[in-house]
Amino acid sequence: MTAQAVRMAWPAVLESFFVSFAGMIDTMMVSTLGSAAVAAVGLTVQPKFIGLAAFFAVNMAVSALVARRKGEGRQKEANETLVTALWIVLVLCAVVTALCLWGAEPILRFAGSAQETHEPAVAYFRIIMGGTVFTAVQMLFNSAQRGSGNTRISMTTNVTSSIVNICCNYLLIGGHFGFPALGVRGAAIATVLGSVVGAGMSIASLFRRTSYVSVSLILREKVRFTARVFRSIVSFSSNVLAENLAMRVGFLATAFLAARLGTDAFAAHNVGMNLMGLAFSFADGMQAAGVALAGEALGAKEKEKAKRYGSICQKIGLGISAVLALVMFFGGRAIYSLYFQEPHILEYGVLITRFIMVIVPLQISQIIYGACLRAAGDIRYTLVASLISVMVIRTLSTYVLTSVLGLGLAGIWLGVLSDQLMRYLFMSTRFRRGKWVDLKL
């Protein structure tokens, strides 16, 4: 079983790592424009993810439902899930894109933009959200492939998309080989171009004969949008959406409080969040494996096998987190020196990486445990856990530590630590009790 988990996980881990690593390089390239540019791009992160929250929720539902239908041997129903979800995603794209383009200025002001960061943040946000349809389509088809157990296709599309993003960054941020120097706007255009390529590749994957979710089967079996599948997706994704929104509101509150500490401190904080994203990438890969393996096992009514897969994924995740913690401990200053040269910002970086090395094991473990619970359909529990941990504990503790006690960046990251610790306790306790394997989906 360990070999099966590793076989399923490594493409997803590599994919998520490379995507996050590309994000770090993206920030590194933007840092050549100064700390204000890094802060401007950082301001868009949480509004962007709030805009994408509904898509993440639908994708989680698609992965879980496709995995369960595969375990049950119901391939047509798995493809019905994909077709129905595609209609949902296309409608959501029209709504989300329009709202984000129209409301970019007030959204970024609410997120904490200052005079020197507001205009570039708005420009970046509008370009990124204007390409939502490409991002959403790529995410949807990759989620269906992951649910069917094919994590390599998702890896290939996302790695290629990230390479395109990095290459276009080089051409468009500073202007090379005759291309215009567009600065922050160039970084946004490069990201959208990467998504266009990734979307094209993910669509092409559905035409492969070996694909479990495929265009040929959809056409042959005349698979259509169905109200029954629509209700299943909405039932599952509504709880995940509420959880995602709760988390993003909490993250946005943290970003807002961090932005009040000044441009340099906020720039250092954003690099720290990129490093957290790198750690999350490993957890996300293991999460993809956990959803596919546990979901398929539950579909085949092999409950103990589902539990063992979850435990195996978590042990692999702990090994990865130990390595990451060592990297943060010994290499924190060196990592930050790739972005900044100012001594006071480097000191911020050392402080932040010390927190990250403690947070990473908790983060990776709680994400993997939570993935298994969601694969089983235990989504109301994960919603409540996130509401308590992120919106209540993280937001209140961060506010008290920064605005009342004046602990600055240390207060920001103590708030992050409190959130991750509570989510770990919630998710690990629920997983170990084992009742999640009895749920129907």
Side-chain angles (χ1 to χ4, degrees):
M1 291 182 67
T2 301
Q4 172 72 356
V6 170
R7 184 190 66 79
M8 186 79 73
W10 78 259
V13 169
L14 182 61
E15 167 203 344
S16 296
F17 169 79
F18 200 92
V19 170
S20 294
F21 185 67
M24 289 180 62
I25 295 176
D26 188 66
T27 303
M28 201 178 300
M29 290 177 166
V30 171
S31 71
T32 61
L33 304 173
S35 60
V38 176
V41 173
L43 282 166
T44 69
V45 171
Q46 295 311 323
K48 178 185 74 174
F49 279 117
I50 289 174
L52 295 176
F55 302 104
F56 288 124
V58 171
N59 293 337
M60 178 61 74
V62 168
S63 284
L65 290 168
V66 169
R68 186 66 71 94
R69 300 301 170 253
K70 185 181 179 184
E72 295 166 349
R74 297 160 61 188
Q75 188 177 10
K76 182 179 178 181
E77 284 80 357
N79 281 268
E80 279 183 352
T81 299
L82 176 60
V83 171
T84 303
L86 178 59
W87 281 104
I88 296 172
V89 163
L90 292 176
V91 172
L92 285 173
C93 278
V95 174
V96 170
T97 301
L99 288 175
C100 289
L101 293 180
W102 174 76
E105 294 219 16
I107 288 171
L108 271 300
R109 284 198 188 93
F110 181 77
S113 65
Q115 184 176 354
E116 61 183 331
T117 58
H118 182 72
E119 190 276 332
V122 169
Y124 185 92
F125 185 68
R126 280 180 170 152
I127 294 170
I128 289 290
M129 300 312 292
T132 296
V133 65
F134 303 109
T135 303
V137 167
Q138 180 183 355
M139 288 166 51
L140 172 64
F141 293 155
N142 285 348
S143 295
Q145 295 286 12
R146 280 179 164 187
S148 70
N150 193 339
T151 52
R152 294 193 182 190
I153 288 176
S154 181
M155 176 192 72
T156 303
T157 59
N158 277 303
V159 168
T160 304
S161 174
S162 298
I163 292 173
V164 171
N165 183 7
I166 292 170
C167 292
C168 291
N169 273 338
Y170 179 76
L171 297 174
L172 297 174
I173 292 177
H176 294 90
F177 297 106
F179 284 86
L182 299 177
V184 168
R185 288 177 175 82
I189 293 170
T191 300
V192 173
L193 291 175
S195 296
V196 171
V197 172
M201 294 181 65
S202 64
I203 292 170
S205 74
L206 300 177
F207 288 87
R208 298 182 182 181
R209 292 183 179 180
T210 57
S211 180
Y212 191 80
V213 283
S214 69
V215 170
S216 62
L217 186 142
I218 290 169
L219 294 176
R220 184 175 66 253
E221 298 291 335
K222 297 181 180 179
V223 175
R224 297 287 186 270
F225 174 100
T226 66
R228 172 181 51 81
V229 176
F230 174 78
R231 287 191 295 270
S232 296
I233 293 174
V234 170
S235 175
F236 188 106
S237 61
S238 59
N239 286 277
V240 177
L241 174 60
E243 180 184 349
N244 282 338
L245 288 175
M247 291 172 61
R248 292 302 162 187
V249 169
F251 294 165
L252 181 61
T254 299
F256 177 79
L257 291 169
R260 293 171 60 184
L261 300 177
T263 298
D264 288 349
F266 188 54
H269 171 74
N270 281 318
V271 171
M273 293 307 294
N274 275 339
L275 294 176
M276 281 279 288
L278 188 65
F280 172 81
S281 70
F282 291 98
D284 188 46
M286 298 309 303
Q287 174 179 239
V291 168
L293 292 168
E296 186 173 342
L298 290 171
K301 304 189 184 305
E302 296 178 308
K303 297 179 181 180
E304 290 304 315
K305 191 175 182 180
K307 292 179 184 178
R308 288 200 298 274
Y309 273 133
S311 297
I312 290 168
C313 289
Q314 198 273 336
K315 288 176 182 176
I316 296 172
L318 276 180
I320 293 171
S321 66
V323 174
L324 290 174
L326 289 173
V327 171
M328 295 299 165
F329 181 77
F330 291 106
R333 184 181 293 273
I335 292 170
Y336 264 81
S337 67
L338 297 173
Y339 297 86
F340 310 104
Q341 299 303 316
E342 297 88 343
H344 68 286
I345 301 182
L346 295 181
E347 289 304 316
Y348 290 150
V350 172
L351 171 70
I352 290 169
T353 51
R354 292 293 185 268
F355 277 105
I356 291 175
M357 65 175 287
V358 178
I359 291 169
V360 161
L362 301 172
Q363 179 191 38
I364 291 179
S365 293
Q366 64 91 359
I367 287 172
I368 294 171
Y369 283 137
C372 294
L373 298 180
R374 294 184 190 95
D378 199 4
I379 44 182
R380 290 186 180 176
Y381 179 85
T382 59
L383 166 61
V384 173
S386 294
L387 285 172
I388 295 172
S389 300
V390 183
M391 287 195 70
V392 180
I393 293 174
R394 177 172 178 154
T395 303
L396 288 179
S397 63
T398 302
Y399 176 78
V400 171
L401 291 166
T402 56
S403 299
V404 179
L405 300 180
L407 294 182
L409 275 178
I412 295 290
W413 285 87
L414 280 169
V416 175
L417 175 60
S418 67
D419 160 37
Q420 294 292 341
L421 175 60
M422 286 307 302
R423 273 193 279 170
Y424 169 76
L425 293 174
F426 278 126
M427 302 304 181
S428 61
T429 300
R430 186 73 162 187
F431 178 89
R432 289 178 180 130
R433 286 178 178 171
K435 294 182 180 180
W436 54 279
V437 298
D438 297 320
L439 298 173
K440 303 295 183 183
L441 184 60

